[in-house]
Amino acid sequence: MFLTVTTTGTPERPATDLGFLLHKHPDNAQAFSTSYGTAHVLYPEATAERCTAALLLEVDPIALVRRGKGKGKGQGGAPDAALAQYVNDRPYAASSLLAVALSTVFSSAMRDVCKARPELAGRPLPLSVEVPALPARGGAALVRSLFEPLGWSVSVEPVPLDVRFPEWGDSRYVRLVLDVPDGKLTLGEALRHLYVLLPVLDDAKHYWVSPDEVDKLLRAGEGWLANHPEQSLITSRYLSRRWSLTRAASERLELVRLADADDSGIEEIDNAVDEESDTEEAPVPLAVRRREAILAALTEAGAARVLDLGCGQGQLVQALLKDVRYTEIVGVDVSMRALTVASRRLKLDRMGERQAERVKLLQGSLAYTDKRLKGYDAAVLSEVIEHLDVERLPALEYAVFGSARPRTVLVTTPNVEYNVRWESLPEGHSRHGDHRFEWTREEFGTWAAEVAGRHGYGVQFVPVGDDDPEVGPPTQMAVFTRAADRRDSAEETPKGVRAA
Ligand code: SAH
């Protein structure tokens, strides 16, 4: 299995910069061991005008079969299938292996990170990619419809089954050459396209597809998959047609698309915070007072493992990280853009190992249950519920209070009664373009009491910001505490001892 990436350059911008971007020096041939064999990186050509890096994967078929069997399903495979396992095209053609090798060997390049020469990373460059033998189910037409919408010009030639017998027709392999002129794609984007689309064309994974593949797909698909015309085929094939995963991915992509489309990206969230702090009476901005109120409530609850649901750009996560009593902090957001900003703010890629172990950022939608969110001490939803349509609130309620079920849940939301006190806010306007609703104290109180009642929580209300005698505080916070429900007390009763 073999692929090459070529770029061209000038004396001022030599093509050999590719070596910095890939973190592999053009003068050396290097080998990396991966779980399925050895990956070699070498440069057949390395001049200022033209530089080609080749990735060659030498698969160990025995390791492949052993690993495939060892995972999950026990060792009860039928013995007569053994030969078929050893004699197949996987070592030579499995694109999913090549994709795994790409992500292992070029992991920084895939994220457009370049430590040695940061100024090079994330800059578009002219690229040409060649895969001499690519299994392509769906043929040349599908190859085109996958790559062309992303800006590539595609040349695809079928490989005959046997050159000596042209009448046998074509194999399912093609020789693929992709080109993109300067100014369109970064190396990271190009690698992420290959990482997803090569296995999609092969349509056969060499490993069991687990739920975290959805995250990998969304991460690699950031910035292009949500709006790709073949998105549903890509998602379904990438996830080996496991429909529950495919559905989860499609739903999340839909939300990404909505979030990106309605302009409610970073700028607007930024503005929201600015707007609110501008209008806030000096000196402490409301966003800061909100964070202080949340931190105080978490301290009171004695929480150590905390979810920040709808974490946005990670300001609260950052504050939690500074306090050692928080041993595990998980930020969740549907917006990949917000998470990217958060990860930069936290300097996740430069964090020491011990710090890094305390924090995680996950992409996910709060409108769907998510097993990764179970078992935490507390969850914070700071200025999040009003970003969901009212009809989606029952889904969020179930995901948080029914499924994740942390001991403590903090929910903050604007108090719409207070809007008359914002001088810069025209009457009847909400505080932020993306707010789907803003509630009075009574509306929030009713919702919170019903949620608490349905899921076995108690609830108390805390004003945030100056509590106006007439219209109340600018922000309202509900503190939900899980009642020691029956199941919990039953678990506390030792086995065989019946409570009187
Ligand atoms: N908690 C932060 C950010 C609030 S802005 C703060 O207090 O400053 C609201 C955030 O909720 C945005 O980052 C938005 O992307 C996120 N969000 C909106 N709908 C979501 C959903 N369904 N699932 C997860 N996050 C969502």
Side-chain angles (χ1 to χ4, degrees):
M1 267 186 291
F2 187 67
L3 85 78
T4 62
V5 179
T6 301
T7 188
T8 50
T10 57
E12 302 80 59
R13 269 182 71 175
T16 41
D17 281 351
L18 186 63
F20 288 109
L21 288 169
L22 292 172
H23 292 229
K24 308 285 175 279
H25 198 286
D27 291 347
N28 308 332
Q30 299 175 55
F32 305 85
S33 70
T34 75
S35 8
Y36 301 99
T38 310
H40 302 271
V41 178
L42 49 140
Y43 289 78
E45 187 174 5
T47 66
E49 296 80 53
R50 219 179 126 84
C51 182
T52 298
L55 173 68
L56 177 105
L57 184 61
E58 199 185 358
V59 175
D60 173 358
I62 313 260
L64 185 61
V65 172
R66 292 231 174 95
R67 286 205 125 226
K69 262 175 109 179
K71 285 250 161 87
K73 297 206 175 134
Q75 297 291 335
D80 58 352
L83 193 60
Q85 287 178 328
Y86 287 92
V87 186
N88 63 33
D89 75 342
R90 296 296 86 194
Y92 313 103
S95 309
S96 60
L97 294 175
L98 194 58
V100 171
L102 269 180
S103 72
T104 317
V105 176
F106 300 136
S107 66
S108 307
M110 245 178 86
R111 287 179 284 126
D112 275 324
V113 169
C114 182
K115 280 196 188 133
R117 299 275 302 277
E119 78 282 3
L120 296 178
R123 198 157 78 179
L125 66 175
L127 287 168
S128 175
V129 173
E130 180 174 351
V131 191
L134 173 71
R137 272 183 222 276
L142 183 62
V143 177
R144 288 217 168 78
S145 61
L146 292 181
F147 284 99
E148 280 173 354
L150 300 170
W152 295 99
S153 49
V154 177
S155 145
V156 41
E157 278 168 38
V159 174
L161 209 51
D162 190 319
V163 280
R164 294 164 301 171
F165 303 101
E167 66 276 16
W168 288 5
D170 293 330
S171 68
R172 64 183 190 87
Y173 298 90
V174 297
R175 173 172 170 269
L176 173 67
V177 181
L178 300 168
D179 286 287
V180 69
D182 199 2
K184 280 203 164 171
L185 295 178
T186 68
L187 181 63
E189 285 167 332
L191 293 175
R192 293 197 295 270
H193 295 165
L194 297 170
Y195 173 81
V196 174
L197 296 180
L198 297 185
V200 162
L201 282 165
D202 187 9
D203 201 16
K205 285 256 158 133
H206 68 277
Y207 52 84
W208 173 244
V209 172
S210 62
D212 67 354
E213 293 287 305
V214 176
D215 292 308
K216 290 189 198 158
L217 173 63
L218 290 169
R219 236 178 287 134
E222 191 202 331
W224 62 270
L225 183 54
N227 291 305
H228 195 295
E230 294 291 346
Q231 185 222 301
S232 60
L233 174 136
I234 296 171
T235 310
S236 153
R237 281 196 179 188
Y238 187 91
L239 297 167
S240 297
R241 299 193 173 76
R242 288 192 57 194
W243 80 267
S244 61
L245 298 185
T246 305
R247 195 193 53 170
S250 309
E251 284 166 350
R252 280 165 59 182
L253 284 165
E254 174 66 21
L255 287 162
V256 172
R257 197 163 41 230
L258 289 175
D260 289 348
D262 75 7
D263 224 24
S264 65
I266 299 313
E267 295 84 340
E268 243 200 280
I269 300 168
D270 260 339
N271 290 343
V273 175
D274 289 348
E275 257 169 46
E276 290 178 24
S277 22
D278 283 352
T279 38
E280 178 58 20
E281 57 272 54
V284 190
L286 185 56
V288 174
R289 297 181 76 163
R290 201 156 41 223
R291 215 144 46 234
E292 284 166 356
I294 290 168
L295 292 172
L298 288 175
T299 306
E300 194 167 325
R305 303 176 60 244
V306 178
L307 300 167
D308 183 7
L309 304 176
C311 63
Q313 301 176 42
Q315 291 94 334
L316 178 65
V317 172
Q318 190 175 34
L320 293 170
L321 257 178
K322 289 196 183 128
D323 189 334
V324 290
R325 86 184 97 194
Y326 300 107
T327 56
E328 206 181 323
I329 306 149
V330 179
V332 180
D333 206 285
V334 72
S335 157
M336 209 61 189
R337 278 208 272 171
L339 291 176
T340 307
V341 177
S343 126
R344 263 187 234 134
R345 174 191 303 277
L346 301 168
K347 304 192 173 64
L348 274 190
D349 54 338
R350 272 173 279 158
M351 201 176 257
E353 210 172 303
R354 298 238 337 245
Q355 274 301 71
E357 275 172 8
R358 291 172 60 211
V359 63
K360 236 185 328 195
L361 295 179
L362 303 176
Q363 195 202 17
S365 167
L366 301 171
Y368 302 97
T369 57
D370 188 336
K371 286 199 198 107
R372 298 174 300 178
L373 308 185
K374 284 184 195 252
Y376 285 82
D377 297 336
V380 178
L381 290 124
S382 163
E383 307 296 284
V384 172
I385 57 169
E386 65 276 8
H387 287 265
L388 276 85
D389 289 324
V390 175
E391 307 84 75
R392 306 292 280 165
L393 280 186
L396 171 137
E397 172 189 334
Y398 182 70
V400 175
F401 294 89
S403 167
R405 279 192 84 65
R407 201 153 29 87
T408 303
V409 182
L410 308 179
V411 179
T412 80
T413 194
N415 164 23
V416 69
E417 296 165 78
Y418 192 89
N419 286 3
V420 296
R421 295 283 185 268
W422 297 121
E423 274 161 20
S424 61
L425 199 67
E427 212 184 299
H429 277 238
S430 71
R431 297 184 201 177
H432 182 318
D434 191 46
H435 286 182
R436 309 301 159 90
F437 60 87
E438 284 177 353
W439 276 339
T440 62
R441 283 168 291 174
E442 193 187 335
E443 285 168 317
F444 183 48
T446 308
W447 175 79
E450 283 172 10
V451 168
R454 277 193 287 269
H455 298 281
Y457 282 73
V459 61
Q460 284 179 319
F461 298 91
V462 179
V464 181
D466 292 333
D467 198 354
D468 185 284
E470 229 177 287
V471 296
T475 296
Q476 32 187 353
M477 176 161 83
V479 180
F480 296 86
T481 310
R482 198 173 68 207
D485 56 35
R486 269 206 207 107
R487 200 151 42 93
D488 281 0
S489 39
E491 272 163 14
E492 276 159 23
T493 312
K495 275 214 179 89
V497 179
R498 302 200 81 201

